[in-house]
Amino acid sequence: SLHTDELFLQDNEKIKLGNGADLTLHHDGSHSYIKNEGSGNLYIDGDTDDLVLQAGDDVRIQTQGNENAINCVGNGAVEIYYNNSKKLETTSTGAKVTGSAFVDSPSASTGGVEISRYGVYIRSDDSYSKAFAIHNGGYTASDETILFNSNGSATFSGLITANGNIL
């Protein structure tokens, strides 16, 4: 029914837009839908300011086959998926990565950091002599507690305690 400034439809009745009724809006009694049923993309454009998606609980972005891509959990985590498998999530104390995390510099030739269940791998630029350093609270050479140089040598500062054989 049509009122002066409102359009009322019963549950499961659809508003169809476009020459081929490509865009539909409807409510099925439980859920509301905006559906692009034709060819082309569906754009939500907020080009004059921000675009805000707001929900009473969670916001989910899913790809084909209803695979999870991003879940924003109300009062909780943000979860990021790869091929429907959770790879990154925020927690109350930081972030949790499932699998490997690779941190790379803007140029592949300047090295990077990989943290995985197999260990921590740090590569430096070939122009630096340091391959890996553990610092004791600072960022200068005097703060280095353990230094592994790219030439294979290692430097340890302070007391070294070993249990077992050192070869």
Side-chain angles (χ1 to χ4, degrees):
S1 65
L2 183 60
H3 293 264
T4 309
D5 58 354
E6 297 174 336
L7 175 65
F8 290 90
L9 300 175
Q10 298 298 315
D11 288 343
N12 295 310
E13 291 181 349
K14 295 181 179 181
I15 296 174
K16 294 186 175 190
L17 303 171
N19 289 340
D22 305 285
L23 179 65
T24 62
L25 292 95
H26 77 278
H27 182 76
D28 68 5
S30 299
H31 305 287
S32 298
Y33 299 88
I34 300 173
K35 190 170 183 181
N36 180 20
E37 297 181 304
S39 61
N41 298 324
L42 172 64
Y43 292 93
I44 300 172
D45 191 348
D47 66 353
T48 59
D49 206 344
D50 299 335
L51 175 63
V52 177
L53 297 175
Q54 186 173 354
D57 194 11
D58 301 343
V59 174
R60 301 185 190 286
I61 297 175
Q62 295 180 326
T63 58
Q64 71 277 2
N66 295 323
E67 287 187 358
N68 288 317
I70 300 173
N71 289 337
C72 302
V73 180
N75 294 318
V78 174
E79 304 167 336
I80 299 176
Y81 292 75
Y82 176 82
N83 197 21
N84 208 32
S85 176
K86 189 185 330 179
K87 297 299 176 183
L88 176 69
E89 68 180 294
T90 60
T91 67
S92 62
T93 58
K96 177 182 175 186
V97 175
T98 302
S100 296
F102 183 73
V103 181
D104 199 5
S105 60
S107 168
S109 65
T110 58
V113 177
E114 181 180 355
I115 303 169
S116 72
R117 64 185 178 139
Y118 302 109
V120 178
Y121 303 93
I122 301 176
R123 292 182 313 279
S124 69
D125 184 332
D126 290 338
S127 66
Y128 295 104
S129 62
K130 298 174 185 175
F132 174 70
I134 298 176
H135 291 254
N136 185 18
Y139 295 100
T140 65
S142 64
D143 297 314
E144 292 171 351
T145 306
I146 302 172
L147 170 64
F148 295 96
N149 294 299
S150 59
N151 64 7
S153 65
T155 306
F156 301 86
S157 62
L159 179 64
I160 298 173
T161 303
N163 294 322
N165 297 330
I166 298 177
L167 302 176

